[in-house]
Amino acid sequence: MSSLEGVVIADFSRVLAAPYATMMLGDLGAEVVKVERPGRGDETRTWGPPHYQDEATYFLSVNRNKTSLQIDLSTEAGREQARELIARADVVVENFKPGTMKKFGLDYESLGRDDLVYCSISGFGAGKGADLPGYDLLVQAVGGLMSVTGPGPYEPVKTGVALVDVLTGLHACVGILAALRHREATGLGQLVELDLLTVLLSSMVNQSAGFTLAGSVPKPMGNRHPSIAPYEVFPTADQPIALAVGNDRQFRRLCSVLDVPELATDSRFVTNSDRVKHVDELFEVLAARLRARPAQHWFETLTPLGVPCGPVNDVARAFALAESLDLAPTATIDDMTLVANPIRLSRTPVTYRLRPPKLEQ
């Protein structure tokens, strides 16, 4: 038996944030029925390259364990079909522009079901930000993430994946599961609302709290950390390596391996706070030593001593690393190799039952 076996989700989502959430719930055993526009489907069906055969890998990445139902919500017949689906569903998930589902008479209030868990995801909420477009890049920009990402203040950089969408999908899962637990106890459903902007502000954790608690407005630091040193990427004889030295003991061991034990007693570097204050000088000394050997040498030498480090891998090498650690990073459905769900449950493991649906299914 799966954790969410018997739970039915009417999935009116598209693109990334909400489809990621419903895929995760599907992996946990829920029955997910994805509602798509007739003949066109989810926008991400056309977002390529890359493709797997003739299908966009973007769509395939977030839509397994779902069936597809084509419904034209602009027609009364389509809206009635949608209401029939919702009537047998435990959960509705949607991420249309705020007000769209109300226009169709399919919003939480119009449906009037006390036992329904209804999750709405938007870019900037259903109030004054309702008309703002909820694209991940835009939210990274106006939400502050790009202001702390990049080599300097005039070179803001987005993350290499739509991270805000993914974080919002995960938060949506938490909210939906909490609402289902409450319904189990009381018989009552509820409205679950999320927006990309406040999810991002929450997910910036220490950077956000530095502002709310101390009035500190963080700036981009490249690969450095505002509160820890050395905690950045260094050159080696062949490829970059990341060092994440989190305490003084680790720093002393690093200095010993690099044959500069005197650094550990240097007044500029004795404590973490000292090292943060003198991070430029520290980088120069460590980089000169690390350039002498390849990244793999340092990884194999420092890791057994408890000094966190690792080469900067590309995605192929990252998957190879996970495989070498027996972490099973992929899952196969039919002939399709997809990224595995990272949640491991001892009694009710995730399942991979359905490949991402083709539009005609």
Side-chain angles (χ1 to χ4, degrees):
M1 180 176 179
S2 299
S3 301
L4 297 182
E5 186 173 325
V7 174
V8 178
I9 298 176
D11 180 10
F12 292 84
S13 69
R14 331 97 60 222
V15 190
L16 181 53
Y20 187 83
T22 54
M23 182 183 73
M24 297 290 283
L25 297 170
D27 290 351
L28 293 170
E31 177 190 345
V32 181
V33 182
K34 182 178 179 69
V35 175
E36 299 192 72
R37 295 172 297 176
R40 297 176 63 190
D42 191 313
E43 296 98 304
T44 60
R45 288 185 180 274
T46 65
W47 286 11
H51 292 89
Y52 172 78
Q53 297 177 1
D54 62 343
E55 299 177 83
T57 60
Y58 199 117
F59 175 83
L60 299 177
S61 70
V62 290
N63 284 291
R64 66 169 171 253
N65 283 333
K66 305 177 186 181
T67 57
S68 177
L69 180 63
Q70 298 184 60
I71 297 180
D72 185 353
L73 294 176
S74 68
T75 68
E76 180 53 42
R79 292 190 290 273
E80 180 58 31
Q81 189 179 5
R83 283 191 285 270
E84 290 174 359
L85 170 62
I86 293 170
R88 73 177 189 90
D90 302 283
V91 180
V92 171
V93 178
E94 65 90 12
N95 64 336
F96 287 111
K97 181 179 178 181
T100 300
M101 291 296 270
K102 183 176 181 63
K103 180 180 68 175
F104 295 143
L106 299 173
D107 59 305
Y108 179 69
E109 290 78 12
S110 298
L111 291 169
R113 266 187 56 191
D114 286 342
D115 65 336
L116 183 64
V117 173
Y118 193 109
C119 179
S120 289
I121 298 175
S122 65
F124 298 92
K128 293 181 179 179
D131 291 331
L132 297 176
Y135 287 89
D136 185 277
L137 174 62
L138 176 62
V139 178
Q140 288 196 37
V142 303
L145 182 57
M146 289 176 66
S147 79
V148 298
T149 307
Y154 304 108
E155 300 173 87
V157 177
K158 71 177 182 65
T159 60
V161 70
L163 187 63
V164 184
D165 277 335
V166 174
L167 290 166
T168 303
L170 291 172
H171 280 77
C173 281
V174 173
I176 291 167
L177 293 173
L180 285 171
R181 177 65 184 89
H182 175 263
R183 190 184 74 161
E184 181 182 295
T186 67
L188 297 174
Q190 60 186 298
L191 178 62
V192 180
E193 294 182 284
L194 300 102
D195 66 87
L196 273 64
L197 179 57
T198 55
V199 167
L200 173 57
L201 293 175
S202 172
S203 300
M204 288 172 68
V205 288
N206 59 300
Q207 298 283 43
S208 293
F211 169 70
T212 62
L213 295 171
S216 173
V217 179
K219 302 297 182 185
M221 301 180 66
N223 290 312
R224 288 179 177 171
H225 193 285
S227 307
I228 310 172
Y231 196 100
E232 59 182 297
V233 174
F234 290 85
T236 71
D238 56 356
Q239 68 180 105
I241 191 170
L243 279 179
V245 177
N247 57 56
D248 298 338
R249 182 182 66 258
Q250 292 172 354
F251 182 65
R252 289 192 296 269
R253 291 174 179 174
L254 171 66
C255 294
S256 177
V257 170
L258 296 182
D259 199 25
V260 282
E262 65 276 9
L263 285 186
T265 56
D266 188 311
S267 61
R268 297 170 298 171
F269 310 130
V270 173
T271 69
N272 177 70
S273 295
D274 296 328
R275 295 191 291 275
V276 171
K277 291 176 184 177
H278 300 94
V279 66
D280 289 330
E281 299 132 279
L282 180 61
F283 177 87
E284 292 303 322
V285 177
L286 296 181
R289 293 287 174 167
L290 289 165
R291 285 191 183 99
R293 297 290 187 90
Q296 191 64 25
H297 167 81
W298 296 122
F299 175 64
E300 293 174 355
T301 304
L302 292 169
T303 300
L305 299 177
V307 180
C309 69
V312 179
N313 287 331
D314 60 19
V315 173
R317 289 179 175 174
F319 271 91
L321 174 61
E323 290 281 5
S324 72
L325 299 175
D326 296 327
L327 294 178
T330 62
T332 301
I333 306 177
D334 297 334
D335 60 344
M336 184 177 292
T337 301
L338 296 167
V339 182
N341 188 310
I343 300 173
R344 289 184 282 276
L345 298 170
S346 63
R347 294 188 184 276
T348 56
V350 300
T351 57
Y352 306 99
R353 307 176 304 282
L354 301 171
R355 75 175 315 275
K358 293 189 176 183
L359 192 58
E360 65 269 23
Q361 291 179 301

